[in-house]
Amino acid sequence: MKLSRKNGLRASAIGALVVSGVLVLSACGSDNNSEPTKDGGKSSSASASNIKCDGAKGQLLAAGSSAQKNAMDLWVKNFQAACAGVEVNYQAIGSGGGITKFTQGQVALAGSDSALKDEEVAASQKVCKDGKGVNLPMVGGPIAIGYKLNGVDNLVLDAPTLAKIFDAKITKWNDEAIAKLNPGAKLPASTIQAFHRSDESGTTQNLGKYLSTAAAADWKYDPKTKSWPAPGGQAANGSAGVATAVKGAEGSIGYFELSYATANQISTVAINTGASAPVAATTENASKAVAAAKVKGTGSDLALSLDYATKAEGAYPITLVTYEIACDKGNKADTLPTLKAFLNYTASEEGQKVLSDAGYAPLPAEIAAKVREIVPTLS
């Protein structure tokens, strides 16, 4: 389903989902609709869902990407409702924080908007006995460029202009470069307030990869960094923090996942990629970009390579894929059944189906099929 540029169609529903997700994390099993079964109440009832709990029990600790928080809230709610006595506790502390907790053995599952670096894989081998951390793509979606500018409803930007804005090289809304991309728009002479993430973030890293690829002459920073590299601007914690800051400040601009723009009714920028028309940040347009991704990982690792410089018609280029990171071998025995059951659900057709209405792009069928093959082999 297409979302409008104003992102208003789903605002009420998404807001309710975010609230319900928070309640689920703090009240394990409160929405449990399953009935006791022969396996001790750990399987979902046929009327509730097709989720298979497969011996899941107790608490599964997870942490990481705030980009996938709204998707994770949905998954957790559905999984806990189906599996009695199970709690999945996901802390949306950012990709960097999640990976750190994972490599220190504090959580069994990490969410990250970028694949593990070589040094992070090496660190994971200390907690994954006889194994290592692997990247399992689970959800895709557009990184929306949200803005608040009264009287300007259909803002268009390109990669070089966006790079200069976030690098404090363009500081006024009526700058010639912006005006050229928006003929007829009533652009004010006010100062641009650019917001970025204060925490280490895969969202920041993916935006950096896009800018360094599509605007190489204007963005000279390391595309691998998860920390905001440019001077100037204002910082806020997490995608939710940046979205709140943009919503509350006239003349502001920032970046966050589409679900945050939708929930907060924040206008989003269409990107001039060189295609015949600017491309809006929608799940459909992000899916076109994710579908063209190539698997660069080997074995059980499914790290993907995205084309940030795509000029394909209708393909939104500022797109991320969030990975669930777990040990391929050496998982803790007490949480392994819950880990596998939860990932089996999130990667399933049912688990992927709930993503579109929440502003995310489900995995392409071919990639999702590969994830489903690997999850049962985790040990």
Side-chain angles (χ1 to χ4, degrees):
M1 172 179 175
K2 289 188 176 180
L3 296 176
S4 69
R5 291 276 300 284
K6 291 294 290 179
N7 298 302
L9 293 178
R10 296 270 175 194
S12 297
I14 298 302
L17 289 173
V18 173
V19 173
S20 68
V22 173
L23 293 175
V24 166
L25 288 174
S26 62
C28 167
S30 61
D31 290 328
N32 189 351
N33 296 317
S34 62
E35 298 180 359
T37 60
K38 293 181 180 180
D39 69 353
K42 298 300 186 289
S43 295
S44 60
S45 66
S47 61
S49 72
N50 296 317
I51 296 174
K52 296 181 180 179
C53 301
D54 295 330
K57 61 183 178 179
Q59 185 184 66
L60 175 67
L61 297 179
S65 165
S66 63
Q68 69 167 358
K69 179 185 182 300
N70 295 337
M72 187 63 75
D73 286 348
L74 284 169
W75 286 331
V76 168
K77 177 184 177 181
N78 294 342
F79 187 71
Q80 290 182 167
C83 304
V86 174
E87 179 184 3
V88 179
N89 189 331
Y90 182 79
Q91 296 178 306
I93 59 175
S95 298
I99 291 174
T100 297
K101 281 184 173 289
F102 176 73
T103 57
Q104 292 178 349
Q106 297 178 33
V107 297
L109 182 68
S112 177
D113 307 324
S114 57
L116 292 170
K117 300 177 183 177
D118 291 342
E119 57 268 30
E120 292 168 339
V121 173
S124 73
Q125 293 175 314
K126 297 177 182 179
V127 295
C128 301
K129 304 303 181 184
D130 300 319
K132 63 181 180 181
V134 291
N135 303 286
L136 301 175
M138 202 62 68
V139 57
I143 300 174
I145 306 299
Y147 70 99
K148 183 176 183 180
L149 197 60
N150 289 336
V152 181
D153 294 330
N154 298 294
L155 187 67
V156 176
L157 296 174
D158 59 12
T161 305
L162 199 57
K164 292 171 185 175
I165 289 173
F166 281 120
D167 199 20
K169 297 295 196 309
I170 291 178
T171 60
K172 299 292 183 180
W173 278 111
N174 64 346
D175 186 274
E176 181 181 355
I178 301 176
K180 185 177 180 180
L181 290 164
N182 297 273
K186 296 181 179 179
L187 298 168
S190 57
T191 300
I192 298 172
Q193 296 189 64
F195 287 92
H196 58 263
R197 291 278 290 270
S198 61
D199 54 322
E200 285 197 349
S201 163
T203 309
T204 294
Q205 186 183 53
N206 279 277
L207 175 63
K209 288 179 178 178
Y210 163 70
L211 294 175
S212 64
T213 301
D218 299 294
W219 192 259
K220 300 295 187 179
Y221 303 103
D222 180 6
K224 295 181 180 180
T225 182
K226 294 178 183 176
S227 300
W228 184 253
Q234 302 176 61
N237 187 63
S239 292
V242 176
T244 298
V246 170
K247 182 179 181 180
E250 173 61 20
S252 60
I253 190 169
Y255 59 96
F256 32 78
E257 294 65 43
L258 180 62
S259 60
Y260 291 93
T262 305
N264 289 282
Q265 296 182 288
I266 297 173
S267 297
T268 60
V269 171
I271 303 298
N272 183 336
T273 63
S276 62
V279 184
T282 69
T283 55
E284 180 181 352
N285 292 343
S287 292
K288 293 178 182 178
V290 175
K294 306 296 183 184
V295 176
K296 64 178 181 180
T298 58
S300 297
D301 188 271
L302 294 179
L304 302 176
S305 177
L306 297 169
D307 181 7
Y308 296 98
T310 180
K311 295 182 180 180
E313 296 296 328
Y316 185 77
I318 320 176
T319 300
L320 60 75
V321 171
T322 292
Y323 300 92
E324 309 309 336
I325 295 170
C327 297
D328 58 354
K329 298 178 182 178
N331 290 282
K332 294 180 181 179
D334 56 342
T335 56
L336 180 59
T338 306
L339 171 70
K340 293 173 69 172
F342 183 62
L343 293 179
N344 274 326
Y345 162 60
T346 62
S348 70
E349 290 185 12
E350 183 175 357
Q352 291 291 302
K353 188 182 295 184
V354 304
L355 296 177
S356 294
D357 287 346
Y360 294 95
L363 293 176
E366 181 181 350
I367 295 174
K370 292 180 180 179
V371 176
R372 292 173 197 141
E373 290 177 1
I374 291 173
V375 171
T377 69
L378 301 180
S379 62

